[in-house]
Coordinates of all heavy atoms in Angstrom, one line a residue:
Chain A
G216 N 18.4 16.6 10.5 CA 17.3 17.2 9.7 C 16.6 16.2 8.8 O 17.0 14.9 8.7
L217 N 15.9 16.7 7.9 CA 15.1 15.8 7.0 C 14.6 16.5 5.8 O 14.4 17.7 5.7 CB 13.8 15.3 7.8 CG 13.0 14.3 7.1 CD1 13.6 13.0 7.1 CD2 11.5 14.3 7.8
T218 N 14.6 15.7 4.6 CA 14.0 16.1 3.3 C 13.2 14.9 2.9 O 13.7 13.9 3.0 CB 14.9 16.5 2.2 OG1 15.9 15.6 2.2 CG2 15.5 17.9 2.6
Y219 N 12.0 15.1 2.7 CA 11.1 14.0 2.3 C 10.5 14.3 0.8 O 10.0 15.3 0.6 CB 9.9 13.9 3.3 CG 9.3 12.6 3.3 CD1 9.4 11.7 4.5 CD2 8.4 12.0 2.3 CE1 8.8 10.5 4.6 CE2 7.9 10.8 2.4 CZ 8.0 10.0 3.5 OH 7.5 8.8 3.6
F220 N 10.6 13.2 0.1 CA 10.3 13.3 -1.4 C 9.2 12.3 -1.7 O 9.1 11.1 -1.2 CB 11.4 13.1 -2.3 CG 12.5 14.1 -2.1 CD1 13.5 13.9 -1.2 CD2 12.5 15.4 -2.8 CE1 14.5 14.9 -0.9 CE2 13.5 16.3 -2.6 CZ 14.4 16.1 -1.6
N221 N 8.4 12.6 -2.7 CA 7.5 11.7 -3.4 C 7.8 11.8 -4.8 O 7.5 12.7 -5.5 CB 6.0 12.1 -3.0 CG 5.0 11.2 -3.7 OD1 5.3 10.0 -4.0 ND2 3.7 11.7 -3.7
V222 N 8.3 10.7 -5.3 CA 8.6 10.7 -6.8 C 7.6 10.0 -7.5 O 7.3 8.8 -7.5 CB 9.9 9.7 -7.0 CG1 10.4 9.8 -8.4 CG2 11.0 10.0 -5.9
I223 N 6.8 10.8 -8.3 CA 5.6 10.3 -8.8 C 5.9 10.0 -10.5 O 6.3 10.9 -11.2 CB 4.4 11.5 -8.8 CG1 4.1 11.9 -7.3 CG2 3.2 11.0 -9.5 CD1 3.3 13.0 -7.1
V224 N 5.6 8.8 -10.9 CA 5.7 8.4 -12.2 C 4.2 8.0 -12.7 O 3.6 7.3 -12.0 CB 6.7 7.3 -12.3 CG1 6.9 6.9 -13.9 CG2 8.0 7.6 -11.8
S225 N 3.9 8.6 -13.8 CA 2.6 8.3 -14.4 C 2.7 8.0 -15.8 O 3.6 8.1 -16.5 CB 1.8 9.5 -14.2 OG 2.2 10.6 -14.9
G226 N 1.6 7.0 -16.3 CA 1.7 6.7 -17.6 C 0.4 6.6 -18.2 O -0.1 7.7 -18.8
P227 N -0.4 5.5 -18.0 CA -1.8 5.4 -18.6 C -2.7 6.3 -17.9 O -2.4 6.8 -16.9 CB -2.1 3.9 -18.5 CG -1.1 3.4 -17.3 CD 0.1 4.3 -17.3
G228 N -3.9 6.4 -18.5 CA -5.0 7.3 -17.9 C -5.7 6.7 -16.6 O -6.1 7.2 -15.7
A229 N -5.6 5.4 -16.6 CA -6.2 4.5 -15.5 C -5.3 3.3 -15.3 O -4.5 3.0 -16.2 CB -7.5 4.3 -15.7
D230 N -5.5 2.7 -14.1 CA -4.9 1.3 -14.0 C -5.3 0.3 -15.0 O -6.4 0.3 -15.5 CB -5.3 0.7 -12.5 CG -4.7 1.4 -11.4 OD1 -3.8 2.4 -11.6 OD2 -5.1 1.1 -10.3
L231 N -4.3 -0.5 -15.6 CA -4.5 -1.3 -16.6 C -4.4 -2.8 -16.0 O -3.8 -3.0 -15.0 CB -3.4 -1.1 -17.7 CG -3.4 0.3 -18.2 CD1 -2.2 0.3 -19.2 CD2 -4.7 0.6 -18.9
H232 N -5.0 -3.6 -16.8 CA -4.9 -5.1 -16.5 C -3.5 -5.5 -17.2 O -3.4 -5.3 -18.5 CB -6.1 -5.8 -17.1 CG -6.2 -7.2 -16.7 ND1 -5.7 -8.2 -17.6 CD2 -6.7 -7.9 -15.5 CE1 -6.0 -9.4 -17.0 NE2 -6.5 -9.3 -15.8
S233 N -2.8 -6.3 -16.5 CA -1.4 -6.7 -17.1 C -1.7 -7.8 -18.1 O -0.8 -7.8 -19.0 CB -0.5 -7.2 -16.0 OG -0.9 -8.4 -15.5
G234 N -2.7 -8.5 -18.0 CA -3.0 -9.4 -19.1 C -3.3 -8.8 -20.4 O -2.8 -9.1 -21.5
S235 N -4.1 -7.7 -20.4 CA -4.4 -7.0 -21.6 C -3.4 -6.2 -22.3 O -3.2 -6.1 -23.4 CB -5.6 -6.2 -21.4 OG -6.7 -7.0 -20.9
F236 N -2.6 -5.5 -21.3 CA -1.6 -4.6 -21.8 C -0.1 -4.7 -21.4 O 0.7 -4.0 -22.0 CB -2.1 -3.1 -21.2 CG -3.4 -2.7 -21.8 CD1 -4.5 -2.9 -21.0 CD2 -3.5 -2.3 -23.2 CE1 -5.8 -2.5 -21.6 CE2 -4.8 -2.1 -23.7 CZ -5.9 -2.1 -22.9
G237 N 0.1 -5.8 -20.6 CA 1.5 -6.0 -20.1 C 2.4 -6.3 -21.3 O 2.1 -7.2 -22.1
G238 N 3.5 -5.6 -21.6 CA 4.3 -5.8 -22.6 C 4.3 -4.8 -23.7 O 5.1 -4.4 -24.3
S239 N 3.0 -4.2 -23.9 CA 2.7 -3.3 -25.0 C 3.0 -1.8 -24.6 O 2.8 -0.9 -25.4 CB 1.4 -3.5 -25.5 OG 0.3 -3.2 -24.6
V240 N 3.1 -1.5 -23.3 CA 3.2 -0.1 -22.9 C 4.4 0.0 -21.9 O 4.9 -0.9 -21.3 CB 1.9 0.3 -22.2 CG1 0.8 0.4 -23.1 CG2 1.6 -0.4 -20.9
H241 N 4.8 1.3 -21.7 CA 5.8 1.6 -20.8 C 5.1 1.7 -19.5 O 4.1 2.4 -19.3 CB 6.5 2.9 -21.2 CG 7.5 2.8 -22.2 ND1 8.1 3.8 -22.8 CD2 8.0 1.6 -22.8 CE1 9.0 3.4 -23.7 NE2 8.9 2.1 -23.8
E242 N 5.6 0.8 -18.4 CA 4.8 0.8 -17.1 C 5.5 1.7 -16.1 O 6.7 1.7 -15.9 CB 4.8 -0.6 -16.6 CG 4.2 -1.5 -17.7 CD 4.0 -3.0 -17.2 OE1 4.2 -3.2 -15.9 OE2 3.6 -3.8 -17.9
P243 N 4.8 2.5 -15.5 CA 5.3 3.5 -14.5 C 5.9 2.8 -13.3 O 7.0 3.3 -12.9 CB 4.0 4.1 -13.9 CG 3.0 4.1 -15.0 CD 3.4 2.9 -15.7
M244 N 5.6 1.6 -12.9 CA 6.3 0.9 -11.9 C 7.6 0.5 -12.3 O 8.6 0.6 -11.4 CB 5.5 -0.4 -11.4 CG 4.5 -0.1 -10.3 SD 5.3 0.4 -8.8 CE 5.5 -1.1 -8.0
T245 N 7.8 0.1 -13.5 CA 9.1 -0.2 -14.0 C 10.1 0.9 -13.9 O 11.3 0.9 -13.5 CB 9.1 -0.8 -15.5 OG1 8.1 -1.8 -15.5 CG2 10.5 -1.4 -15.9
A246 N 9.6 2.0 -14.3 CA 10.3 3.3 -14.2 C 10.7 3.7 -12.8 O 11.8 4.1 -12.5 CB 9.8 4.5 -15.1
L247 N 9.7 3.7 -12.0 CA 9.8 4.1 -10.6 C 10.9 3.3 -9.9 O 11.8 3.7 -9.2 CB 8.5 4.1 -9.9 CG 8.5 4.5 -8.4 CD1 9.1 5.9 -8.2 CD2 7.3 4.4 -7.7
I248 N 10.7 1.9 -10.0 CA 11.8 1.0 -9.5 C 13.0 1.2 -9.9 O 14.0 1.3 -9.1 CB 11.3 -0.4 -9.7 CG1 9.9 -0.8 -9.1 CG2 12.4 -1.5 -9.3 CD1 9.8 -1.0 -7.5
A249 N 13.3 1.5 -11.1 CA 14.6 1.7 -11.7 C 15.1 3.0 -11.1 O 16.3 3.2 -10.7 CB 14.6 1.9 -13.2
L250 N 14.4 4.1 -11.0 CA 14.8 5.3 -10.4 C 15.1 5.2 -8.9 O 16.1 5.8 -8.5 CB 13.6 6.3 -10.6 CG 14.0 7.9 -10.6 CD1 15.0 8.2 -11.6 CD2 12.8 8.7 -10.9
L251 N 14.2 4.5 -8.2 CA 14.5 4.4 -6.7 C 15.7 3.6 -6.6 O 16.4 3.8 -5.5 CB 13.2 3.8 -6.1 CG 11.9 4.5 -6.0 CD1 10.8 3.7 -5.4 CD2 12.1 5.8 -5.3
G252 N 16.0 2.7 -7.4 CA 17.2 1.9 -7.3 C 18.6 2.7 -7.6 O 19.7 2.1 -7.3
K253 N 18.4 3.9 -7.9 CA 19.7 4.7 -8.1 C 20.0 5.7 -6.9 O 20.8 6.5 -7.1 CB 19.5 5.6 -9.4 CG 19.4 4.8 -10.7 CD 19.1 5.6 -11.9 CE 18.8 4.8 -13.1 NZ 20.0 4.1 -13.6
L254 N 19.2 5.6 -5.9 CA 19.5 6.5 -4.7 C 20.5 6.1 -3.8 O 21.1 7.0 -3.1 CB 18.0 6.6 -4.0 CG 16.8 7.1 -4.8 CD1 15.6 7.0 -4.0 CD2 17.1 8.6 -5.2
V255 N 20.5 4.8 -3.4 CA 21.5 4.5 -2.3 C 21.9 3.0 -2.4 O 21.2 2.3 -3.0 CB 20.7 4.7 -1.0 CG1 19.4 3.7 -0.9 CG2 21.4 4.6 0.2
T256 N 23.2 2.9 -1.9 CA 23.7 1.5 -2.0 C 23.2 0.7 -0.8 O 22.6 1.2 0.2 CB 25.3 1.5 -1.8 OG1 25.5 2.0 -0.5 CG2 25.8 2.4 -3.0
Q257 N 23.3 -0.6 -0.9 CA 22.9 -1.5 0.2 C 23.5 -1.2 1.6 O 22.8 -1.3 2.6 CB 23.1 -2.9 -0.2 CG 22.4 -3.5 -1.4 CD 20.9 -3.4 -1.4 OE1 20.3 -3.5 -0.3 NE2 20.4 -2.8 -2.5
D258 N 24.7 -0.6 1.5 CA 25.3 -0.2 2.8 C 25.1 1.2 3.2 O 25.7 1.9 4.0 CB 26.7 -0.7 2.9 CG 27.6 -0.2 1.8 OD1 27.0 0.6 0.9 OD2 28.8 -0.3 1.8
G259 N 24.1 1.9 2.4 CA 23.7 3.1 2.9 C 24.4 4.4 2.3 O 24.2 5.5 2.7
R260 N 25.3 4.2 1.3 CA 26.0 5.3 0.6 C 24.9 6.0 -0.3 O 24.4 5.3 -1.2 CB 27.1 4.8 -0.1 CG 28.0 5.8 -0.8 CD 29.1 6.5 0.1 NE 29.6 7.7 -0.5 CZ 30.3 8.6 0.2 NH1 30.3 8.5 1.4 NH2 30.6 9.7 -0.4
I261 N 24.8 7.3 -0.1 CA 23.8 8.0 -0.9 C 24.4 8.3 -2.3 O 25.6 8.9 -2.3 CB 23.3 9.3 -0.2 CG1 22.6 8.8 1.1 CG2 22.4 10.0 -1.1 CD1 22.3 10.0 2.0
L262 N 23.7 8.1 -3.3 CA 24.3 8.2 -4.7 C 24.0 9.6 -5.4 O 24.5 9.8 -6.5 CB 23.9 7.0 -5.5 CG 24.2 5.7 -5.1 CD1 23.5 4.6 -5.9 CD2 25.7 5.4 -5.1
I263 N 23.4 10.4 -4.7 CA 23.0 11.8 -5.3 C 24.2 12.7 -5.2 O 24.7 12.9 -4.1 CB 21.9 12.5 -4.5 CG1 20.5 11.4 -4.6 CG2 21.5 13.8 -5.0 CD1 19.6 11.6 -3.6

Side-chain angles (χ1 to χ4, degrees):
Chain A
L217 184 72
T218 50
Y219 201 113
F220 299 91
N221 184 16
V222 190
I223 302 169
V224 181
S225 57
D230 285 0
L231 303 176
H232 186 268
S233 72
S235 304
F236 296 104
S239 65
V240 296
H241 285 175
E242 300 188 12
M244 271 296 272
T245 309
L247 178 63
I248 294 290
L250 200 56
L251 295 178
K253 292 172 189 294
L254 296 173
V255 64
T256 64
Q257 296 304 314
D258 55 358
R260 180 92 195 155
I261 302 170
L262 299 171
I263 297 152

